[in-house]
Amino acid sequence: MYSEKVMDHFSNPRNVGEIDDANGVGQVGNAKCGDIMKMYLKIEDNIVVDAKFKTFGCGAAVATSSMATELVKGKTVEEAMKITNKAVAEALDGLPPAKMHCSNLAEEAIAAALEDYRRRNGLASDESVDCTGCCNSCGHSHGREEDFEDED
Amino acid sequence: MGNRIIYLDHAATTYVKPEVFEAMKPYFTEHFGNASSIYSLGRESKKAIEEAREKVAKALKSEAREIYFTGSGSEADNWAVKGVAAANRKKGNHIITSAIEHPAIMNACKYLEGEGFEVTYLPVDSDGAVSLEDLKKAIKDTTILISIMFANNEIGTIQPIQEIGAIAREKGIIFHTDAVQAVGNVDIDVNKLNIDLLSLSGHKFYGPKGVGALYVKKGVRITSFIHGGAQERGKRASTENLPGIIGLGKAIELATENMEAYNKKLLDLREKTIEGLMAKVPYIRLNGHRSSRLPGNVNISFQYIEGESLLLMLDMLGVCGSSGSACSSGSLDPSHVLMAIGLPHEIAHGSLRLTFGDVNTQEDVDFILEEIPKIVSRLRDMSPLYEAVKNKK
């Protein structure tokens, strides 16, 4: 059910761990739903120079976390903010429909870490990123199924 | 390891034993006659079906005329619940079942609720057992059926079936048990255990898929499940699944003959696995009753990790297991059984079920006891939940 790329990122996840001097840290999801992603970013001169993650979750959650850290590295803060769940899923050659919410979690983890960075630097907007990413915890449409075509 | 597969999911399904397959073969090609036909080719089929029925009856210590072949265990469950409900509606509309039934019972009961029946779902304790006191309290004047599973498919807990049956009998209530996981693993005497109806499925004890049976005690009122011809005493029409029925008969005969040795073997593998994992891995919990459980069932929750990840890593090593996590079930909620025994969501998400069978060996156990702790610690190193625990220390 998973693409080879998903399995590759699951079995050899890139950038697992923590960054001691991270200046942007975000955690989304909750244990009740079975997915938690914690993203650490190190940003210098407005560029993401390092990214690491820790994830509690299924194969897709681990793979999307891994891919998200790969995508975010080397980007400017503005570019990083534009990384979408769709981009993460596409970079993994797609995800099964039931797992699309995992890619959403990855987008939200990046956003939460960037928000933390902006807050620390007095750049934060009022818009807070407090969505847990849990599909049961609020009314948001996390799956954004309309963005994706079913692949069986 | 190469391509070695260690199959530890016998509660999901079993392979068909070669002896069973051999017994079935002629009934596909040579002895294919319709059992309802008058000529000898048909009569041979009829005879073979009745012999298979005798074998099932012998295994349950019932009479052959009390055994009805079905298309699956789920069909037998559906028939039992809906058929008894419909036939006894004038007497009452209340059904008692448990919170940990297989979906075949659970969803049949939900359907009946929509048809005007009232259903009580008895809770279970932390071991997964129903309380006889709760059962007695739930009985009303309108109760027509009690359906409690013999042994749970996920956590392996075996219910006090004889006592439940005695309560039902004393109150004149029909008692059905879904014994799909128990048949072939537990010695069953339907009369001694006070059972009125019992469901079983061939592919759980080395028989073929697509065939099951329902035991219906003589005198129990139940409506027909499929209306049509006179097959299965007019209760379940359809030209008989001849090879399937022959296979089921052979498989249950073998299972009954070998039960003692089979149980001993599975029990040994189960105990070594439980003891081994408990000793080697911290922050784990055995789900299900410690001793009153199926001989081949191990169900353990590993805190701070998620079950599907664990299954994927085991699969890379050729180990087939299953989990009650939401991600492996395709829904967002973990298994209703793990919820019913009171596990918090995050612990239910980290469950692993391993079910032993015929093909497993001591070497298999040694291998998983070597590999599972490594996988668990790898996943925990990746987990932000475990990070929080480590930092507290």
Side-chain angles (χ1 to χ4, degrees):
Chain A
M1 70 173 189
Y2 287 134
S3 70
E4 273 180 39
K5 218 155 185 181
V6 171
M7 286 312 292
D8 175 36
H9 276 261
F10 169 71
S11 44
N12 303 296
R14 282 60 149 179
N15 312 310
V16 177
E18 298 152 49
I19 300 174
D20 289 337
D21 57 347
N23 50 4
V25 180
Q27 180 170 316
V28 295
N30 71 45
K32 193 167 179 253
C33 301
D35 288 309
I36 296 179
M37 264 181 217
K38 191 169 183 181
M39 175 89 59
Y40 298 82
L41 299 180
K42 171 84 181 153
I43 298 168
E44 284 171 7
D45 301 331
N46 203 42
I47 306 267
V48 180
V49 294
D50 199 10
K52 287 201 188 302
F53 78 92
K54 283 219 166 169
T55 288
F56 161 81
C58 62
V62 172
T64 52
S65 307
S66 167
M67 183 52 85
T69 55
E70 289 280 272
L71 290 178
V72 83
K73 272 207 238 179
K75 296 244 182 345
T76 64
V77 170
E78 291 71 29
E79 286 167 343
M81 284 169 74
K82 289 184 193 142
I83 295 173
T84 60
N85 61 333
K86 193 174 175 181
V88 176
E90 276 173 1
L92 287 167
D93 294 341
L95 286 170
K99 301 288 188 179
M100 284 322 291
H101 74 281
C102 293
S103 66
N104 223 58
L105 218 53
E107 177 189 325
E108 284 162 7
I110 295 173
L114 290 171
E115 184 66 18
D116 179 50
Y117 167 75
R118 288 162 62 86
R119 202 160 28 222
R120 291 183 197 210
N121 291 279
L123 304 165
S125 59
D126 291 336
E127 191 192 335
S128 66
V129 181
D130 58 357
C131 177
T132 65
C134 174
C135 298
N136 287 335
S137 68
C138 64
H140 296 172
S141 167
H142 292 288
R144 296 189 192 169
E145 275 88 1
E146 69 272 20
D147 292 352
F148 304 97
E149 283 169 29
D150 281 8
E151 32 188 307
D152 288 323
Chain B
M1 286 313 299
N3 294 320
R4 188 163 81 116
I5 291 279
I6 300 181
Y7 187 74
L8 296 175
D9 205 14
H10 290 83
T13 193
T14 57
Y15 71 99
V16 173
K17 276 192 181 172
E19 304 98 296
V20 172
F21 186 42
E22 284 307 316
M24 292 170 71
K25 271 185 189 168
Y27 293 91
F28 283 103
T29 50
E30 288 167 63
H31 307 293
F32 62 90
N34 188 320
S36 303
S37 303
I38 196 76
Y39 40 76
S40 67
L41 194 65
R43 292 201 306 271
E44 273 173 37
S45 298
K46 180 79 185 155
K47 189 164 164 274
I49 289 169
E50 294 318 312
E51 281 170 10
R53 202 185 306 279
E54 290 283 351
K55 287 174 184 169
V56 177
K58 199 176 161 200
L60 303 177
K61 300 176 186 67
S62 71
E63 288 177 32
R65 61 193 300 242
E66 296 172 312
I67 303 299
Y68 297 84
F69 290 111
T70 66
S72 65
S74 287
E75 184 189 313
D77 280 344
N78 267 265
W79 182 14
V81 173
K82 294 179 195 167
V84 167
N88 295 276
R89 186 155 202 172
K90 279 186 188 142
K91 289 169 84 179
N93 71 336
H94 182 232
I95 296 166
I96 299 172
T97 186
S98 85
I100 60 165
E101 296 296 313
H102 186 274
I105 293 293
M106 206 59 110
N107 290 333
C109 285
K110 294 252 161 72
Y111 162 78
L112 286 174
E113 282 184 289
E115 296 294 304
F117 286 87
E118 184 198 349
V119 181
T120 300
Y121 300 89
L122 293 178
V124 291
D125 63 19
S126 57
D127 289 330
V130 299
S131 135
L132 298 175
E133 285 312 307
D134 285 349
L135 172 64
K136 283 183 199 160
K137 276 186 226 153
I139 293 173
K140 307 178 185 193
D141 292 343
T142 51
T143 308
I144 49 172
L145 172 68
I146 296 171
S147 179
I148 305 282
M149 76 196 320
F150 205 115
N152 185 266
N153 48 315
E154 293 185 38
I155 57 175
T157 301
I158 297 173
Q159 301 296 339
I161 291 300
Q162 189 170 23
E163 291 82 352
I164 294 170
I167 292 169
R169 203 144 283 183
E170 191 197 314
K171 301 277 185 183
I173 300 166
I174 297 168
F175 173 44
H176 165 256
T177 186
D178 169 2
V180 165
Q181 294 291 337
V183 172
N185 286 307
V186 182
D187 189 28
I188 296 176
D189 178 330
V190 285
N191 291 308
K192 216 190 267 178
L193 296 175
N194 306 310
I195 296 168
D196 295 319
L197 299 103
L198 175 147
S199 309
L200 62 89
S201 173
H203 74 106
K204 305 292 189 186
F205 46 85
Y206 311 96
K209 295 168 182 60
V211 62
L214 182 66
Y215 155 78
V216 183
K217 190 180 175 65
K218 219 170 22 187
V220 168
R221 288 166 57 88
I222 185 165
T223 57
S224 298
F225 191 65
I226 299 180
H227 300 97
Q231 295 91 352
E232 301 304 294
R233 301 161 60 84
K235 293 276 188 206
R236 200 269 185 193
S238 289
T239 297
E240 296 87 347
N241 171 6
L242 185 58
I245 288 170
I246 305 307
L248 174 69
K250 184 68 186 174
I252 206 166
E253 182 181 55
L254 291 173
T256 310
E257 281 169 15
N258 304 330
M259 194 175 300
E260 217 183 298
Y262 184 62
N263 274 355
K264 199 161 163 265
K265 172 189 165 138
L266 296 197
L267 207 60
D268 182 51
L269 298 174
R270 178 190 89 184
E271 288 305 302
K272 283 186 172 136
T273 303
I274 293 174
E275 296 296 336
L277 288 174
M278 290 292 188
K280 284 183 159 194
V281 187
Y283 306 112
I284 68 176
R285 171 190 201 282
L286 177 72
N287 298 318
H289 197 280
R290 184 65 188 89
S291 55
S292 181
R293 73 188 295 140
L294 289 170
N297 175 290
V298 175
N299 188 311
I300 284 179
S301 280
F302 297 86
Q303 271 184 271
Y304 316 119
I305 64 172
E306 193 279 332
E308 192 208 76
S309 289
L310 185 53
L311 292 185
L312 289 171
M313 289 207 171
L314 283 169
D315 181 46
M316 287 178 209
L317 298 171
V319 178
C320 311
S322 85
S323 170
S325 84
C327 275
S328 55
S329 72
S331 78
L332 286 168
D333 286 318
S335 118
H336 69 290
V337 176
L338 298 178
M339 295 283 95
I341 61 170
L343 292 194
H345 276 72
E346 59 269 33
I347 296 181
H349 284 303
S351 78
L352 173 70
R353 180 188 74 175
L354 303 173
T355 44
F356 291 100
D358 225 22
V359 294
N360 299 127
T361 60
Q362 184 59 50
E363 286 69 45
D364 294 345
V365 172
D366 292 343
F367 182 74
I368 57 169
L369 288 181
E370 186 68 29
E371 296 301 328
I372 289 177
K374 287 192 230 165
I375 295 174
V376 170
S377 85
R378 200 173 155 210
L379 288 170
R380 281 181 178 165
D381 283 344
M382 223 187 275
S383 167
L385 295 174
Y386 192 56
E387 179 189 315
V389 174
K390 273 196 310 189
N391 292 344
K392 251 187 228 167
K393 281 198 290 189

